[in-house]
């Protein structure tokens, strides 16, 4: 898809200070470096085939001990202020967003099945919902206070009253139930009592246990703004974006190497693999920055200049 | 008046013809209807032949009329048994049942035409062909997911197409049933099947 590009650098994502949009959404001072203007991103948003809230967010979650989970089920682990919780992929695949309270904080744990991304955002006094639209196959969220649109991977609004603002993020660990529980024995788990009748034993796109269907291979089904053939489209990378720019680390390579360093505009960014959770942290000059797993095609679509 | 009388006569003929054909092919009608309903529920994802322990998980019943995607509605509960998992949605059951019954009627007409060609001047294939739009209609709710299953490129045209499948399927099924029913000599058929 032919688009004009203009680099917009707006600050350091790794050191956000708290500010809010009038008591509602907590916003980050720092914003993700963008390759295109917000209007160009906005024009590339397409319908995902479902209406707004056609994929319903979980807004009244309940928590339990996770007895319904299999040992190798994928979960998204979150720890806030010492409180730990696992959000099973098999539940979130049907809802994509859960608006919850953890460690005394109002949070949204978001998951996009099409791009394999799980990202956490602070939501303040409002909630996030699924707009039914996609950008580079990625979930486009909306906030229920202003109706602004927020592509999940960007974490920045591209349309609406809060256009140009960035959400505050927190770390979400993509791991398995066994690994998360072993590391966090006091964890609670999102239950299947979501208020919606869904068969949570079935994943409409495929499977991660074992990896099959849409998740295993193939091209993206929706238009993307950029294509990069350095990796197969569905290969997982660990991505981070800082004031220096975006960087990604091929996860399989990281598993073997355990540590990798890339220069991003002259600043070293190190990814350190954690075997016990099969996850990685990214440090910029020794300071941890937020990072998350992503399918390569989606990372390259948003960040064609990625290191 | 003559026009109204003709319409009333045709309607009466359609109803009597349908009743006669279904009565003459009761087993076929019910078997086809139930089989198609099961297939429909499977295609839309409300029925799966896998399960776990016996359980019933009740959802928010106020969501019963909420449309998830074209002609596909929220369920009231998830019923799980060792072999079957069913999402119980009254509206999905109604739509599926309506399409299934129309498929059953069309198949009954087709078999009647095959067995009693002198009493029915209908084309035997008409009833069977009606199954095609019915099957497509069963996929209408799940267009976006079918796109992934089939590896298609999503486009607004394709997504719009899925939205019209169920009304199109219903229309075609009703039209083929009406057409078939009007070809039947009811009295002759009753004599032949008594």
């Amino acid at each position: 898809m032919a688009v004009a590009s203009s680099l917009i650098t707006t600050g350091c994502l790794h050191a956000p200070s708290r500010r809010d949009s009038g008591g509602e959404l907590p916003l980050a001072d720092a914003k993700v470096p963008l390759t295109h203007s917000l209007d160009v991103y906005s024009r590339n948003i397409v319908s995902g085939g479902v209406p707004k809230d056609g994929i319903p967010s979980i807004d009244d979650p309940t928590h339990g001990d996770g007895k319904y989970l299999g040992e190798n089920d994928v979960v998204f682990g979150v720890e806030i202020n010492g409180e730990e919780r696992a959000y099973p992929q098999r539940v979130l695949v049907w809802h994509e967003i859960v608006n919850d309270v953890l460690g005394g904080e109002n949070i949204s744990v978001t998951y996009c099945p099409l791009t394999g991304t799980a990202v956490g955002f602070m939501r303040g006094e409002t909630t996030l919902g699924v707009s039914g639209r996609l950008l580079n196959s990625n979930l486009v969220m909306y906030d229920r206070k202003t109706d602004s649109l927020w592509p999940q991977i960007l974490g920045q609004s591209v349309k609406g009253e809060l256009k140009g603002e960035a959400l505050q993020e927190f770390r979400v660990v993509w791991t398995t139930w066994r690994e998360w529980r072993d590391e966090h024995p006091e964890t609670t788990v999102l239950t299947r009592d979501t208020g919606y009748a869904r068969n949570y034993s079935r994943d409409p796109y495929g499977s991660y246990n074992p990896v099959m269907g849409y998740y295993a291979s193939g091209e993206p089904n929706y238009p993307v703004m950029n294509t990069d053939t350095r990796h197969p489209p569905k290969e997982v990378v660990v991505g981070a974006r800082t004031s220096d720019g975006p960087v990604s680390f091929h996860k399989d390579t990281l598993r073997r190497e355990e540590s990798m360093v890339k220069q991003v505009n002259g600043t070293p960014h190190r990814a350190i693999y954690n075997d016990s959770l099969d996850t990685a942290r990214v440090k910029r000059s020794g300071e941890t920055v937020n990072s998350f797993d992503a399918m390569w095609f989606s990372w390259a679509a948003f960040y064609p200049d990625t290191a | 008046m003559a026009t109204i009388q003709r319409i009333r006569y045709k309607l009466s003929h359609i109803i009597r013809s349908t009743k006669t054909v279904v009565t003459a092919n009761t087993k076929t009608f019910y078997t086809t209807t139930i089989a198609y309903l099961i297939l429909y529920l499977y295609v839309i994802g409300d029925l799966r032949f896998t399960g776990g322990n016996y359980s019933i998980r009740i959802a928010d019943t106020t969501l019963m009329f909420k449309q998830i995607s074209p002609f596909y509605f929220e369920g009231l509960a998830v019923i799980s048994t060792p072999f079957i998992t069913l999402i119980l949605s009254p509206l999905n059951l109604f739509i599926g049942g309506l399409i299934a019954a129309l498929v059953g009627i069309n198949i009954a007409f087709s078999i009647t035409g095959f067995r009693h060609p002198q009493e029915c001047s209908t084309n035997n294939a008409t009833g069977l062909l009606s199954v095609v739009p019915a099957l497509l209609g069963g996929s209408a709710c799940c267009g976006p997911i079918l796109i992934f299953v089939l590896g298609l490129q999503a486009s607004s045209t394709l997504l719009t197409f899925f939205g019209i499948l169920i009304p199109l399927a219903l229309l075609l099924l009703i039209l083929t049933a009406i057409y078939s029913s009007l070809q039947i000599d009811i009295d002759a058929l009753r004599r032949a099947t008594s």
Side-chain angles (χ1 to χ4, degrees), chain A residues 110-113 115-119 138 152-153 174 292-295 298:
Chain A
T110 70
Y111 165 58
C112 179
T115 55
T117 43
V119 188
N138 184 231
Q152 183 212 36
I153 289 178
W174 182 306
F292 48 87
D293 290 12
M295 290 181 188
S298 65

Side-chain angles (χ1 to χ4, degrees), chain A residues 195 198 200 202 220-222, chain B residues 48 57 60 74 148 152 154:
Chain A
R198 297 288 187 279
Y200 293 121
R202 185 174 81 89
N221 291 85
Y222 292 88
Chain B
R48 276 297 177 272
R57 187 159 35 89
D60 182 352
E74 288 282 357
F148 294 102
L152 303 173

Side-chain angles (χ1 to χ4, degrees), chain B residues 100-112:
Chain B
L102 285 169
V103 170
I105 289 170
N106 276 280
I107 297 293
F109 274 120
S110 191
I111 289 175
T112 299

